[in-house]
Amino acid sequence: ANNIQDEKGFNADIGFKINRNNWGIEVSGFHLSYENRIGNTLETIEVNPILGEDLFQVRKNLGDADIFGLESIAKADLLQLFNPDSTKKWSLDAFINYALIHAQYAVGSEPTIEGKQVEFVPTHNLKTGITISYMSWSLTHQFSYVSEQFTDATNAPFRSDPDGILGAIPNYWIHDINLRFAKERWSVQAGINNLLNQYYFTRRANGYPGPGIIPSEPRN
């Protein structure tokens, strides 16, 4: 820990936004230069002369990372957009939120991680949904998808260690629904998260509440 040095860097972003009566869109791009980044890598370390060597996660300055991203969100009232004369009692609102991120360790980083994907940065992150409303009632469905990400800078896909703290986090997708009834000063709503009861996880914890894979919530 005494050998860890401070990180530094800079970021820049640019974007545009358009809002109209029945639709809107916002797009932004960014670049993050992350110098002397602190992160986790896998190293073979001798435990002792009797037990020999084993593979461990080591936290240290890994090198420089370049992160480029494109983030966007679009929304529209589809009924009013395609049929402006439709009744105001009904509405059909849709949205899509998508992020595309390229995060890579630069040339000159540690030899085992040069050109590898930065850990805990999925390439694709998508959320999209639709809400159908009639007067005081509304029903919303949302779909979420996150692509594969890595927990260490060497991008180890999998290792059958007993603690389960090393390896990738596979891609996952979930569906959520929500029903709502609203009046002027009160509302009632109920929903189901993880509608199809997907088995997935987003964390590999080194300590509490691990160590190991921390499963996400089932259907609830």
Side-chain angles (χ1 to χ4, degrees):
N2 294 333
N3 296 325
I4 290 180
Q5 302 174 359
D6 288 339
E7 303 165 308
K8 60 181 180 179
F10 68 90
N11 70 285
D13 60 88
I14 188 171
F16 69 90
K17 178 167 63 175
I18 301 174
N19 277 320
R20 295 292 184 264
N21 290 334
N22 301 319
W23 64 277
I25 185 171
E26 183 173 351
V27 179
S28 63
F30 69 89
H31 171 225
L32 172 62
S33 178
Y34 209 150
E35 300 173 14
N36 216 20
R37 186 178 188 278
I38 297 172
N40 297 326
T41 185
L42 297 180
E43 291 188 3
T44 301
I45 299 175
E46 184 178 20
V47 180
N48 57 52
I50 298 176
L51 296 177
E53 297 180 338
D54 202 352
L55 198 62
F56 293 91
Q57 273 196 341
V58 178
R59 190 164 182 82
K60 60 192 292 187
N61 291 105
L62 299 173
D64 299 342
D66 284 313
I67 303 173
F68 297 89
L70 183 69
E71 298 176 318
S72 61
I73 183 168
K75 55 185 179 180
D77 184 336
L78 299 179
L79 285 183
Q80 292 295 317
L81 184 63
F82 294 106
N83 184 14
D85 298 326
S86 62
T87 174
K88 296 292 185 179
K89 292 183 179 180
W90 288 91
S91 67
L92 187 62
D93 298 302
F95 82 93
I96 181 169
N97 185 354
Y98 173 65
L100 174 65
I101 300 177
H102 176 75
Q104 188 176 52
Y105 282 101
V107 175
S109 302
E110 294 256 336
T112 56
I113 68 168
E114 186 176 300
K116 297 294 181 67
Q117 182 176 329
V118 176
E119 61 272 29
F120 298 108
V121 183
T123 302
H124 305 282
N125 195 323
L126 170 70
K127 287 185 175 63
T128 184
I130 192 166
T131 299
I132 183 169
S133 302
Y134 176 73
M135 300 182 68
S136 298
W137 293 90
S138 65
L139 177 66
T140 300
H141 168 260
Q142 178 175 288
F143 171 79
S144 304
Y145 170 79
V146 178
S147 62
E148 181 184 53
Q149 55 189 298
F150 297 99
T151 59
D152 72 278
T154 64
N155 292 182
F158 174 76
R159 182 172 184 265
S160 56
D161 65 297
D163 291 331
I165 62 175
L166 305 176
I169 296 176
N171 64 71
Y172 62 91
W173 50 269
I174 53 176
H175 294 267
D176 303 313
I177 60 170
N178 181 271
L179 178 65
R180 186 170 187 263
F181 178 81
K183 280 297 186 181
E184 293 179 357
R185 296 188 177 182
W186 60 275
S187 65
V188 178
Q189 62 183 17
I192 304 176
N193 296 324
N194 194 4
L195 178 64
L196 300 183
N197 202 30
Q198 291 293 311
Y199 294 166
Y200 71 103
F201 66 95
T202 61
R203 293 178 57 198
R204 289 181 183 267
N206 291 310
Y208 181 84
I213 291 170
I214 308 301
S216 293
E217 291 289 334
R219 181 190 296 118
N220 63 89

